[in-house]
Amino acid sequence: MSSDHQSHQSYPYPQVFLVDGGDGAQRSGQQPSLVPCWSFPPAQERARSRGGKSRGCMGVGAGPALVVLMLFLLVFVALGFEAYQINKMQAELREMKKVTLVTEFETPQKQIGHEPETSGEDEKDRPAAHVIGRIEVETFPKTLRWEPRAGRAFTSGSVAYRSEDGGLRLNESGLYHVYSRVELIFKDCSPSSSFGHSVFVRRAGRSTPLTLMEAHRAGFCSRQQGHAWTAESYLASALQLHQSDRVFVNVSHPFYLSHSHYANFFGLYKI
């Protein structure tokens, strides 16, 4: 076999042959119709030459493309969930603002010295009292009497005012906030002027009263004598009280008390 023939057989590309039109003679004036011979191997041979692996879009395999697609989907899902959470938080904040506005403008305010605006059984039954000063016709020794109903004065729940001795009587044990304020006017004040202010309780089983709070005021006047001078004292504390306790206020100079109803007061409420 000739070398030329061997070279033609070893050539990997398909051969091109000239075929006549079937009439036994080629037309001299017409160029033969040729089938182009491509300069690269067929697709099947290229695929086999690369290891037999098929490629996806843009030369990327189907597996990596699916992973990238899943990552994009996860990112979009995370963004959507975050947007949902933000909208939910904004809605909750709007609801909280509405509740705050209702609480500020529609809920009754509780203030010491003001008659409570009750809205339910719990408020009506809460032990509390606030009594104010009054002008006395007769003089009582130290223990003060109070006005329990006029003005802003009130009693509620299991607390009762005793007009015979000026005490607040409790019918329920518990922790109470007790307070008292007195204002005294010394018409002839001197550097040696002083007074005492105390809150005490009479308890069943005790023969003597038990002092709860006490204050002594002195040195509130100037060195110039013969001038009127106003002094005040305020006591307050959280105290554990018992059922049937009676709470009182003492002042060492009750005849110096001012005639202002709201300058002198006494009260308590259960915490």
Side-chain angles (χ1 to χ4, degrees):
M1 183 180 293
S2 66
S3 61
D4 184 44
H5 181 68
Q6 290 178 355
S7 64
H8 283 294
Q9 287 182 347
S10 63
Y11 189 74
Y13 304 106
Q15 303 302 312
V16 178
F17 298 93
L18 297 177
V19 182
D20 57 8
D23 54 357
Q26 183 178 358
R27 296 175 184 177
S28 61
Q30 182 179 1
Q31 295 294 332
S33 175
L34 300 180
V35 177
C37 180
W38 305 106
S39 60
F40 49 85
Q44 293 182 354
E45 294 183 2
R46 289 200 309 270
R48 284 195 297 270
S49 66
R50 295 178 184 177
K53 295 182 180 179
S54 62
R55 295 292 181 177
C57 180
M58 299 179 65
V60 180
L66 182 61
V67 172
V68 173
L69 180 60
M70 291 299 295
L71 289 176
F72 274 108
L73 289 177
L74 287 176
V75 170
F76 284 119
V77 170
L79 291 176
F81 182 73
E82 185 176 357
Y84 169 75
Q85 291 291 341
I86 292 174
N87 290 333
K88 184 178 179 181
M89 291 176 62
Q90 290 177 348
E92 291 178 354
L93 288 175
R94 287 193 294 269
E95 292 297 327
M96 291 176 63
K97 289 181 180 180
K98 291 179 181 179
V99 173
T100 303
L101 291 174
V102 170
T103 303
E104 289 180 355
F105 296 104
E106 295 183 6
T107 302
Q109 301 294 323
K110 299 177 183 178
Q111 298 180 359
I112 296 175
H114 292 267
E115 189 172 0
E117 299 178 17
T118 58
S119 58
E121 291 299 323
D122 293 340
E123 294 295 331
K124 292 179 181 179
D125 295 338
R126 184 179 183 182
H130 180 82
V131 292
I132 60 177
R134 67 182 186 184
I135 301 174
E136 295 292 346
V137 178
E138 55 182 316
T139 303
F140 297 97
K142 294 187 178 181
T143 302
L144 302 182
R145 269 55 172 178
W146 305 93
E147 173 55 57
R149 286 185 286 275
R152 297 294 182 178
F154 72 93
T155 57
S156 68
S158 57
V159 181
Y161 175 72
R162 292 167 54 91
S163 58
E164 61 270 22
D165 56 13
L168 291 175
R169 187 179 186 277
L170 308 180
N171 292 323
E172 184 176 332
S173 301
L175 185 64
Y176 287 81
H177 180 79
V178 184
Y179 60 92
S180 174
R181 183 187 187 274
V182 294
E183 182 181 79
L184 283 74
I185 299 177
F186 291 84
K187 296 181 180 180
D188 189 10
C189 196
S190 68
S192 60
S193 299
S194 65
F195 71 94
H197 174 208
S198 64
V199 177
F200 66 95
V201 60
R202 294 188 183 275
R203 181 167 295 167
R206 292 182 59 95
S207 58
T208 58
L210 175 64
T211 300
L212 301 177
M213 296 176 285
E214 189 173 22
H216 293 279
R217 292 294 310 276
F220 46 83
C221 293
S222 65
R223 295 184 178 274
Q224 297 180 356
Q225 298 184 5
H227 294 278
W229 199 271
T230 301
E232 59 88 21
S233 174
Y234 181 80
L235 297 171
S237 181
L239 301 165
Q240 188 71 37
L241 300 177
H242 300 166
Q243 184 179 3
S244 302
D245 279 355
R246 291 174 294 153
V247 187
F248 304 86
V249 176
N250 264 9
V251 174
S252 59
H253 299 76
F255 44 90
Y256 285 160
L257 285 173
S258 68
H259 291 171
S260 174
H261 297 287
Y262 301 109
N264 302 285
F265 51 81
F266 165 44
L268 53 82
Y269 57 88
K270 190 176 182 181
I271 299 175

